[in-house]
Amino acid sequence: MAAKKRRSPRPITDEDRKHVRDLHAEGLGRNAIATRIDRSPRTVSYLAEEMGLAFDRTATAVATEARVIDSKARRAAIIEGLYDVAEDDLAYLRQKAPVELVEVSMGAPVRYNAPRLPAQDRKALVTAVSSATTAAARLEALDGDPETNNARSVLGAIADGIRKLADAQEDDVGEG
């Protein structure tokens, strides 16, 4: 692929200034002016600033606000999904005996019942719950609602407790 040839910057002329002033007075935005006079938006911004002209940024502000709202909604959906994962994993962890397990032996699945999940599987579920709740709490923090600070603190404490429980179960695995 051939490199794009850079052309030398064209000197700014009084005619460029006049065009920017006139098109600005017509209400055109920076990018539209740049297209009309075959100049870069940066050059138009420079010329406008030089002449004390300002562009209406209302459309940009509205678009930015819409993006913020959309991102917040997306985060809310992800947070809900993370809490769903945590609840599902906790429900599985709490299930009563017997627990059906599947292992692969000589390439074939072997199903059997056990009185409870093996320690390494319990630890993996506890770690998954901790990860999901921690990730959800971090995403909630992005939206900066001051009323949720206490809830985040509680969630953080729960996640820390779950991690400690997982570490303790790991110690039990090594002993058993």
Side-chain angles (χ1 to χ4, degrees):
M1 179 178 205
K4 190 174 181 182
K5 212 176 195 185
R6 262 185 94 126
R7 56 183 182 178
S8 313
R10 200 169 75 217
I12 296 173
T13 65
D14 288 338
E15 186 175 335
D16 291 327
R17 287 181 181 84
K18 180 183 180 325
H19 286 308
V20 168
R21 189 179 308 106
D22 293 345
L23 294 172
H24 179 272
E26 290 178 24
L28 268 65
R30 181 192 71 164
N31 292 345
I33 294 172
T35 300
R36 285 260 190 105
I37 68 172
D38 193 28
R39 288 292 195 163
S40 72
R42 183 176 174 201
T43 299
V44 173
S45 291
Y46 171 79
L47 290 170
E49 185 178 333
E50 180 184 87
M51 294 182 282
L53 305 175
F55 292 102
D56 180 12
R57 292 193 169 91
T58 305
T60 302
V62 168
T64 300
E65 181 61 26
R67 186 169 169 255
V68 167
I69 291 168
D70 290 348
S71 295
K72 188 173 183 176
R74 291 174 73 188
R75 280 192 301 276
I78 292 168
I79 290 165
E80 185 176 338
L82 287 167
Y83 283 132
D84 288 345
V85 167
E87 287 173 350
D88 288 348
D89 287 350
L90 278 173
Y92 188 71
L93 191 60
R94 291 179 180 144
Q95 72 181 340
K96 301 295 181 200
V99 176
E100 182 180 10
L101 299 173
V102 179
E103 290 185 1
V104 176
S105 177
M106 298 180 67
V110 176
R111 298 180 187 279
Y112 64 96
N113 290 326
R116 63 186 278 180
L117 284 173
Q120 68 270 17
D121 293 339
R122 287 193 320 269
K123 179 185 183 231
L125 282 171
V126 167
T127 300
V129 169
S130 176
S131 294
T133 56
T134 299
R138 285 184 179 150
L139 285 173
E140 286 173 335
L142 290 176
D143 293 325
D145 183 357
E147 294 180 17
T148 62
N149 285 339
N150 289 338
R152 281 195 293 274
S153 295
V154 169
L155 284 172
I158 291 170
D160 288 342
I162 291 171
R163 277 191 215 94
K164 288 177 186 171
L165 177 62
D167 290 342
Q169 285 185 352
E170 183 177 273
D171 292 343
D172 290 345
V173 171
E175 295 173 8

